[in-house]
Amino acid sequence: MAKNKDAQLIVRINKAQRDEFVALCNELDTSSSREIRKFIKRFVNKNKPKQKQHKGDHNGEES
């Protein structure tokens, strides 16, 4: 997966929730952006369809 952070996702949430989230992130010495990126990565990895492997294929690539 690319490491470039070249896209934005705008999410509208309640200001009180946002403020509490940012404050907790600061207390935990992390950033709100980092935590959202971690959430998205875990969510995608958990929910993306599994790729079927071919017989004799050990890494998902064709020989």
Side-chain angles (χ1 to χ4, degrees), residues 10 12 19-20 26 34 36 40 43 46-47 50 59 61-62:
I10 298 172
R12 298 189 63 74
D19 292 347
E20 185 175 19
N26 289 335
R34 180 181 300 137
I36 295 299
I40 291 171
F43 183 87
K46 179 182 175 186
N47 293 290
K50 304 285 186 219
N59 61 5
E61 297 176 3
E62 291 189 22

Side-chain angles (χ1 to χ4, degrees), residues 12-39:
R12 298 189 63 74
I13 62 172
N14 177 284
K15 184 180 181 332
Q17 283 181 316
R18 181 231 178 251
D19 292 347
E20 185 175 19
F21 178 67
V22 170
L24 284 169
C25 288
N26 289 335
E27 287 179 28
L28 297 170
D29 196 29
T30 188
S31 70
S32 56
S33 295
R34 180 181 300 137
E35 296 305 316
I36 295 299
R37 284 191 299 270
K38 283 173 29 179
F39 168 79

